[in-house]
Structure formats: C-alpha cells, structure tokens
Amino acid sequence: MSIKNVPTTDEPPVVVIGAGPVGLAAAARLVERGVEPLVLEAGPSAGTAVREWSHVRLFSRWAEITDPAAEKLLAPTGWVRPDGAAYPTGGDWAKQYLQPLADVLGDKVRYGATVTGVARAGRDRVVGSGRDEQPFAVHILSADGREERISARAVIDASGTWSLPGPLGADGLPALGEKATAGRISYRIPDLGDPAVRARYAGRRTAVVGSGASAFTALAVLADLAKEEPGTHAVWILRRGITGSTFGGGEADQLPARGALGLRAKAAVDEGRASAVTGFRTQAVERDGARAVLVAEDGRRLDPVDELIVLTGLRPDLSFLSELRLGLDDRLQAPTALAPLIDPDVHSCGTVHPHGVNELSHPEQGVYLVGMKSYGRAPTFLAMTGYEQVRSVTAAIAGDRAAAERVELTLPQTGVCGGAGLFDEPGTAPAENGGCCATPVTAQTGTGTPATASSGC
C-alpha cells in the first residue's frame, strides 16, 4: 500500500526537508489533516543519516520513537510496532519503521533531492513588499545533476545536524592542519564489526576527542578491542578537567544504559586501556611521518597517534536558508524563543519545557525548523519532542490554531533520550525501573509551569 501524490487542491505542497524520523512524522501529520506534503530527501532511502550509525543502539525504547500518526498510516499494511520495551539500533529503526513509513507515503517522498536554497518567490531577504503573500521557492539538485525549482506553501526543515560534525579545534574552527590530516580523522563512532574499520584501529594508538556519550562509546569499544588486539590504546582528549560528573551519573543515572556507558569509559581509563589528557584545547594537528601530533593552545604537544576520532557535537546547516528571515539565538543557533528552554547549561532532555509552533516560529511566516535542527547546537533533543513539534506545526499550517497551541509533552519513565548507546548490548531494557524520569511528566504551554522531572536524563 502507498499513498499516491494526487493533490486535493490547487495549492502547492508543504515541502518537508529530510526523510528522517521527524520529517516523515511531519508528512504523516499533514496527510492526517488533508494537507499535501512533499518530502525531499538527499539520500537514496529513508533515514539515510540514521543508517550511518546503524550499528549504534539507542537509549530510547521502541515505545518512544514511533509517531502516532505514522502508526495509523502503517496499520493497514499489517505493520506492527516492535516490542515497545526493546531498544533498537539505528539500523533497526531505519529498516523496521522509517523505510516502511516512507513506502506508505509513496511518491510524496523524493530521494536523491538535495535542497540547495529556499526563498520567497521573487523576493530576496531584503525585500518586504508583498513578501508574506508569495509562495516559497525551493531549489533542488537531483542525484543526476539536474536543477529544479518548485513552489511550496510552507517549509518544514527536518534535515537534522548529522552532516555538520563539530571540528577538532577548541575554538569551534578546524584546527590548523585538520583538513590536511582528514585521512586519519573520523567524526563518527567506529563500527568495529566491519573488518576494514576494525583493522584501522587494531594495534594502533587512537585519540578520542569529546566528552559526551558518543566519546564514551568510542572509548568503550576501543577498550574492548584492546583486550583482543595487543598494542591498541585510546588517548582521551578532554578540553576540561576530570570532575565527579565527567563519566556521567554512573549507577545513579536514571537512564541505566547511559550510566553503564560512562562506567565502561571510566573502566577503560582505570584499567590502562585508555589514558586521559585534561585541559587540552587543540589548536593544531601536525604530521609526524604517517602519524599525527596534537598541539594545544598552551603549547603542549602529545605523543603521536595513528588515528583520531573527533566527537565534539553537531551543528545545523543554515547555508541553504540564507534568503529567509530567521530568528535564531546567537549562541545555540536555535529559534530565539526556544533557545532558553533547551539551554544545555540549564536543561537536560528530561527538563525541556513543552514547546510547539509559537516557539518554533520565525519572522519569516510559514517556515519551521523542527527536530534536531531546531535545537541548533544543543545536544538535549529527543525523538518524542520532535514528534510533538510537528504535531503542533502541522496543525498551525492546516489552520487549526487551537490544536497547534495546545502543546503537550509527556516524558515516559524510561528511555526518552535518543543518544548513542553501545551497539553490542541486547535490544531490551538494560535494567528494571530505569529511565529519564521517575514518573511520567505531562505539561502544557500556557500553564506558566515548565515541565519538571525528578532528574535530568
């Protein structure tokens, strides 16, 4: 079964950029409301970015990563959601949910379609006269090199942040020599189940740069490799010192899988399979024959390494939106009204205030950044938040303002954080009664009370 692309009105479609979890949920919500969507996906399949970390297991359960409107579309095909208590890998998510959903949407999803620009038709960002009455002009580059321009009544950008990993340089810019050393650098968690990738790190000295769950994962898998391959060693590069929270919450973490991951990273250091270098802010990477030497801003130089794994966060690609009038926070690059609600200095994903169309709107009417991209550089996004975002946004596009502003966010007891966990653990709940929040939390906008949780996730 698939839904044919037969417009019900003469209006142009709502263009959704990205066929990932939130983009496809947006399309399902639009279909539910009788609004024509057109999903533009740069890759060859649904969840192209998710498939790139197919070996990594989520911290979220199946119950938290499927959208209700999407499930309604899938139901007539005989699709049944996998065990809600199980923890899928990225590959599971893409194959068992995202691709079937895209298949149901049929030719409402176009693959190999890279959006290169979005503007108001006939208006650059300077021109204000008649601006809001004009449709959007969306420029597309097809996989075969063809250029195309289509009209859209609204634009929902769910393209995520996967394409722009943070650089090695501590100042947010690529370190001197980083580009020249690109052949030795990976910005992803290695899949050591791939023989070629395993061979790249086996018996070698690898620098791991970063302090989040992805870095923990890389340290843990390299430590496991060191047990089997003599000479394998990880050098963990930290821009700050080691404190009580460096390795996460450990056994006190209410998301057990994440706590266990931090403990494995700590064990890698304690057992000597990884060594930590603290307060090291990389300024340059130099070549020492076939190896690389990291140089800090204070002049320190580390012993040569064979490989580097740089896991310093992700950031949004705003280049193709430059002709739109966006209102973005100058620090997080998130919508200005949303930024203080997701500030990682204040909030974890379990304490995010509920939000929808009001917080996601811009000076340019009819354009919305949703999903991970809406969070800019904040790392606290969770899939359920994205699904609620597009429920609200699509209601607004359909003219149902009351539903759009009736934003609700429910945080279940377990697994709401869609972070990068270990991929070699079974796909079941890692421990009983674990999770982001001790009790489910529901909050609404307009109540004056932000969502709260017993602890951050």
Side-chain angles (χ1 to χ4, degrees), residues 173-189:
L173 300 174
L176 299 178
E178 182 170 350
K179 294 179 181 179
T181 319
R184 294 289 181 186
I185 302 176
S186 171
Y187 298 89
R188 311 298 186 199
I189 298 170

Side-chain angles (χ1 to χ4, degrees), residues 195-247:
V197 176
R198 182 184 177 90
R200 177 175 178 175
Y201 299 101
R204 299 194 173 188
R205 183 178 170 86
T206 300
V208 177
V209 185
S211 59
S214 293
F216 290 171
T217 302
L219 289 169
V221 298
L222 289 174
D224 288 344
L225 183 63
K227 296 175 184 178
E228 303 172 6
E229 298 285 350
T232 303
H233 188 78
V235 182
W236 187 20
I237 311 299
L238 290 158
R239 293 171 178 171
R240 300 177 181 176
I242 292 180
T243 66
S245 62
T246 296
F247 296 98

Side-chain angles (χ1 to χ4, degrees), residues 45-274:
S45 61
T48 298
V50 174
R51 293 172 192 267
E52 290 192 25
W53 48 271
S54 61
H55 56 293
V56 178
R57 194 169 299 283
L58 280 76
F59 289 145
S60 302
R61 303 176 303 167
W62 271 113
E64 283 91 56
I65 61 171
T66 58
D67 176 73
E71 290 194 16
K72 290 179 183 178
L73 279 183
L74 285 164
T77 70
W79 181 88
V80 177
R81 187 181 69 193
D83 179 7
Y87 289 74
T89 63
D92 296 334
W93 201 12
K95 295 175 185 177
Q96 298 179 42
Y97 170 67
L98 300 178
Q99 193 61 58
L101 177 55
D103 292 344
V104 168
L105 290 166
D107 56 7
K108 297 180 187 299
V109 180
R110 285 182 54 180
Y111 302 113
T114 300
V115 174
T116 58
V118 181
R120 287 286 185 180
R123 308 287 192 277
D124 64 20
R125 69 183 295 161
V126 176
V127 179
S129 176
R131 186 177 190 88
D132 291 344
E133 288 71 45
Q134 293 297 108
F136 290 96
V138 181
H139 287 220
I140 303 168
L141 178 64
S142 299
D144 61 5
R146 290 184 299 109
E147 292 184 282
E148 184 180 354
R149 170 178 156 156
I150 63 173
S151 292
R153 60 180 284 193
V155 175
I156 300 175
D157 183 355
S159 59
T161 57
W162 182 254
S163 64
L164 284 182
L168 176 61
D171 52 12
L173 300 174
L176 299 178
E178 182 170 350
K179 294 179 181 179
T181 319
R184 294 289 181 186
I185 302 176
S186 171
Y187 298 89
R188 311 298 186 199
I189 298 170
D191 179 5
L192 299 186
D194 182 328
V197 176
R198 182 184 177 90
R200 177 175 178 175
Y201 299 101
R204 299 194 173 188
R205 183 178 170 86
T206 300
V208 177
V209 185
S211 59
S214 293
F216 290 171
T217 302
L219 289 169
V221 298
L222 289 174
D224 288 344
L225 183 63
K227 296 175 184 178
E228 303 172 6
E229 298 285 350
T232 303
H233 188 78
V235 182
W236 187 20
I237 311 299
L238 290 158
R239 293 171 178 171
R240 300 177 181 176
I242 292 180
T243 66
S245 62
T246 296
F247 296 98
E251 294 179 358
D253 196 321
Q254 292 197 20
L255 196 63
R258 187 181 61 183
L261 183 58
L263 292 176
R264 289 187 64 179
K266 185 177 187 300
V269 174
D270 292 345
E271 295 169 4
R273 294 186 177 89

Side-chain angles (χ1 to χ4, degrees), residues 308-382:
L308 295 96
I309 298 174
V310 179
L311 301 167
T312 54
L314 303 165
R315 42 181 78 171
D317 180 4
L318 302 169
S319 62
F320 60 88
L321 305 176
S322 62
E323 292 307 314
L324 298 177
R325 297 176 175 181
L326 302 181
L328 298 174
D329 178 72
D330 58 5
R331 184 166 68 93
L332 294 182
Q333 295 180 297
T336 51
L338 177 60
L341 309 182
I342 61 172
D343 186 343
D345 287 345
V346 179
H347 295 284
S348 69
C349 55
T351 62
V352 170
H353 191 286
H355 59 275
V357 67
N358 291 335
E359 292 81 5
L360 296 170
S361 293
H362 295 272
E364 191 79 71
Q365 297 180 28
V367 61
Y368 306 95
L369 277 58
V370 299
M372 189 66 205
K373 190 162 187 176
S374 72
Y375 274 42
R377 298 193 184 199
T380 50
F381 178 75
L382 53 106

